[in-house]
Amino acid sequence: MKIFNKKDMKSKESKNNTIDESANESEISQQNEDTSNAVAVEGLPDAETAESGDIEKLEYALSEAKDKYLRLYSDFDNYKKRINREKIDLIKSAGQDIMASILPMLDDMERAIKAMSDAKDINAVKEGVQLVFQKMKSITEGKGLKAMETVGQVFDADLHDAIANVPVKEEKQKGKVIEEIEKGYYLNDKVLRHAKVIVGN
């Protein structure tokens, strides 16, 4: 049997204490690491919570975009309706303006017809008709109506309708308008009616 003396016992106890202290230090270090990991995990946002927040933001943005689109569409639709109403009103008012300007001519024509039924002086009737014509011409020219000058002009298919070609003696008359059958008109420099003409050939 082996007998330990006091010195050996003390050495053994010292070794055991060193082992226990190392074990305790290792356990404390492990606990501290676990605790720090737990704290780090708790500090991070939950994945499901973050995803839910993103979806809510996207849904809100989509709702805002839909509202904005509907407002713009409604505004544009109202704008189109207003423009169409203004066009119709403009056309109506333009027609009213022309009709209002024609009324005095109608009055003059009625007076001329009454005067012709009782007139004994044909020259007075002619003068009256001439005055009515000049008044009508002045009013229509004020509205942008202008008669074409065709006789002696070179035939232009954009302005004239040739209803006949007639042989001419003079070379300079060939290809030109020699007679006007129906007058052509411009309205604000745009052809309103083509002139019907006879062209030299």
Side-chain angles (χ1 to χ4, degrees):
M1 176 182 283
K2 190 174 181 179
I3 298 172
F4 295 98
N5 56 24
K6 287 183 179 182
K7 190 175 180 180
D8 293 334
M9 290 292 289
K10 284 182 181 180
S11 176
K12 188 175 183 181
E13 286 177 3
S14 176
K15 286 181 181 179
N16 289 336
N17 288 339
T18 303
I19 292 170
D20 291 340
E21 286 175 3
S22 298
N24 288 339
E25 286 177 2
S26 177
E27 288 177 5
I28 291 169
S29 176
Q30 184 65 36
Q31 287 175 357
N32 288 339
E33 187 177 346
D34 293 342
T35 304
S36 64
N37 288 338
V39 170
V41 170
E42 286 175 2
L44 292 173
D46 184 52
E48 292 182 1
T49 305
E51 186 177 345
S52 175
D54 290 342
I55 290 172
E56 287 178 2
K57 287 180 182 178
L58 290 173
E59 287 177 348
Y60 178 76
L62 179 61
S63 176
E64 286 282 308
K66 283 182 178 178
D67 289 342
K68 186 176 180 181
Y69 168 76
L70 289 174
R71 284 195 299 270
L72 288 172
Y73 181 81
S74 178
D75 289 343
F76 182 67
D77 192 49
N78 291 334
Y79 168 77
K80 286 197 301 183
K81 289 177 181 177
R82 187 176 70 252
I83 291 298
N84 288 334
R85 283 196 303 269
E86 288 176 358
K87 282 182 180 178
I88 292 169
D89 291 342
L90 183 63
I91 291 168
K92 285 181 179 179
S93 64
Q96 289 173 356
D97 185 41
I98 291 171
M99 291 302 158
S101 64
I102 288 174
L103 289 177
M105 292 185 290
L106 290 176
D107 295 336
D108 290 342
M109 290 299 294
E110 286 180 354
R111 284 191 286 269
I113 290 169
K114 287 180 182 179
M116 281 189 294
S117 61
D118 299 332
K120 294 179 181 178
D121 186 1
I122 192 67
N123 290 326
V125 173
K126 287 180 179 179
E127 287 177 6
V129 171
Q130 187 69 26
L131 287 172
V132 172
F133 173 75
Q134 289 298 331
K135 187 173 185 178
M136 181 182 295
K137 186 178 179 182
S138 175
I139 290 171
T140 54
E141 284 179 352
K143 299 297 179 183
L145 189 69
K146 182 181 176 183
M148 290 182 186
E149 297 292 336
T150 57
V151 177
Q153 301 294 319
V154 176
F155 174 75
D156 186 346
D158 293 331
L159 303 175
H160 312 135
D161 287 337
I163 60 173
N165 287 326
V166 296
V168 290
K169 294 180 180 179
E170 296 183 18
E171 188 70 24
K172 63 180 181 180
Q173 287 186 324
K174 288 185 178 181
K176 292 186 178 180
V177 176
I178 60 172
E179 187 178 349
E180 184 180 69
I181 304 301
E182 185 176 84
K183 194 175 286 293
Y185 286 94
Y186 299 103
L187 181 61
N188 297 321
D189 297 326
K190 184 179 179 181
V191 176
L192 180 65
R193 186 177 77 181
H194 291 77
K196 288 181 172 60
V197 298
I198 295 174
V199 182
N201 192 4

